[in-house]
């Protein structure tokens, strides 16, 4: 074997080794990221989860606002990435939580399961869900602060990951003042789940998000107002 042939063979081998090493590294990183995503959402491969749909405020009992449908699409992509399946149920569903992951969308005015989750796991949150017009309609109260809805300008939404026992599957609660803010929370979750997983490492959390100028920007411009986990999980009377 002359030097030219030897150099060609060595070059081919080096390329093969380098390519194989790169493939192995990429595969390892992809699998690790997938495991972290599955752990955060409580969605191991082959599992199923619940998506609890609310009713459209002001609509018929079985109507669904299109922005809430878009929220379902945002979350469905995450579920598919985890290799899980989704079962859609109405907000009147009577079943416990913890056996399978759950995504519950809508504020207490349109989703009675949200009412139950707030009462059971976020007792420090109060939401004005009266049907009468007024400055406090839809207002979210937590930690001694009141966050009011300004139609077309400012909307608030709670994004929470809630668990009760070690090993229990989480409930993701997206409780907004409007359907647009529900979709904004779903989009925020889709974009920031890796950072949230690193920050909270499987623990429960409750974040307050603000959707800015929804009349112009829809659900696209959303910012984090505060982590209100401690206040939200403290009964309101004791938090005062």
């Amino acid at each position: 074997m002359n030097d030219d042939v030897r150099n060609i063979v060595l070059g081919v081998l080096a390329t093969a080794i380098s390519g194989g090493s790169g493939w192995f590294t990429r595969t390892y990183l992809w699998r690790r990221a997938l495991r972290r995503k599955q752990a955060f959402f409580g969605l191991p491969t082959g599992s199923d989860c619940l998506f609890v749909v609310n009713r459209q405020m002001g609509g018929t009992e079985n109507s669904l606002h299109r922005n809430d449908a878009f929220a379902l699409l945002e979350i469905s992509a995450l579920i598919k990435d985890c290799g899980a399946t989704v079962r859609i149920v109405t907000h009147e569903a009577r079943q416990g939580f913890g056996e399978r992951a759950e995504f519950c969308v809508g504020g207490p005015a349109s989703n009675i399961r949200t009412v139950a989750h707030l009462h059971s796991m976020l007792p420090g949150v109060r939401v004005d869900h009266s049907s009468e017009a007024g400055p406090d309609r839809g207002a979210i109260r937590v930690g001694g602060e009141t966050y009011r809805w300004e139609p077309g300008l400012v909307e608030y939404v709670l994004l929470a990951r809630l668990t009760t026992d070690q090993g229990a599957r989480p409930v993701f609660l997206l409780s907004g003042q409007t359907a647009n803010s529900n979709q904004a929370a779903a989009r925020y979750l889709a974009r920031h789940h890796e950072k949230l997983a690193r920050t909270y490492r499987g623990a429960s959390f409750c974040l307050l998000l603000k959707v800015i100028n929804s009349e112009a920007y829809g659900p696209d411009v959303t910012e984090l107002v505060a982590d209100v986990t401690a206040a939200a999980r403290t009964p309101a009377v004791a938090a005062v």
Side-chain angles (χ1 to χ4, degrees), residues 3 16 27 47 81 99 117 132 139 149 217 236-237:
D3 291 342
T27 301
S47 63
D81 288 345
E99 293 184 4
H117 288 329
E132 298 180 2
W149 170 34
Y217 305 130
V237 174

Side-chain angles (χ1 to χ4, degrees), residues 37 52 199:
K37 180 187 291 189
V52 183
T199 300

Side-chain angles (χ1 to χ4, degrees), residues 7-194:
N7 290 337
I8 292 173
V9 171
L10 291 176
V12 171
L13 289 174
T15 301
I17 293 171
S18 177
S21 176
W23 174 86
F24 177 82
T25 300
R26 289 191 299 272
T27 301
Y28 170 77
L29 293 175
W30 175 79
R31 288 179 177 173
R32 185 175 67 172
L34 176 61
R35 287 194 298 269
R36 287 178 175 176
K37 180 187 291 189
Q38 290 175 326
F40 177 72
F41 288 112
L43 294 172
T45 301
S47 63
D48 67 331
C49 67
L50 298 180
F51 187 95
V52 183
V53 295
N54 59 338
R55 64 175 177 82
Q56 180 176 347
M57 289 187 293
T60 62
E61 185 62 28
N62 295 321
S63 62
L64 178 67
H65 195 283
R66 67 174 185 173
N67 287 94
D68 290 324
F70 291 151
L72 170 59
L73 293 177
E74 301 265 6
I75 293 172
S76 293
L78 297 173
I79 297 169
K80 182 178 180 181
D81 288 345
C82 291
T85 57
V86 61
R87 183 158 64 93
I88 300 174
V89 298
T90 64
H91 65 111
E92 297 97 342
R94 294 184 177 181
Q95 51 190 300
F97 53 86
E99 293 184 4
R100 56 173 62 87
E102 175 183 333
F103 298 87
C104 186
V105 175
S110 63
N111 190 325
I112 60 176
R113 193 162 172 85
T114 295
V115 177
H117 288 329
L118 291 176
H119 178 76
S120 300
M121 294 180 281
L122 296 175
V125 175
R126 293 290 182 269
V127 180
D128 186 324
H129 50 89
S130 63
S131 58
E132 298 180 2
D136 285 338
R137 183 185 180 190
I140 298 173
R141 297 181 177 87
V142 60
E145 300 290 337
T146 300
Y147 302 92
R148 293 180 174 86
W149 170 34
E150 300 175 41
L153 297 176
V154 176
E155 302 169 11
Y156 291 96
V157 56
L158 293 171
L159 170 61
R161 180 187 189 275
L162 306 170
T163 58
T164 54
D165 301 309
Q166 188 73 20
R169 301 285 173 83
V171 172
F172 286 88
L173 182 65
L174 295 77
S175 176
Q177 294 171 326
T178 65
N180 180 77
S181 60
N182 294 335
Q183 184 188 356
R187 185 164 296 180
Y188 187 94
L189 180 62
R191 290 176 175 174
H192 299 283
H193 65 85
E194 292 181 356

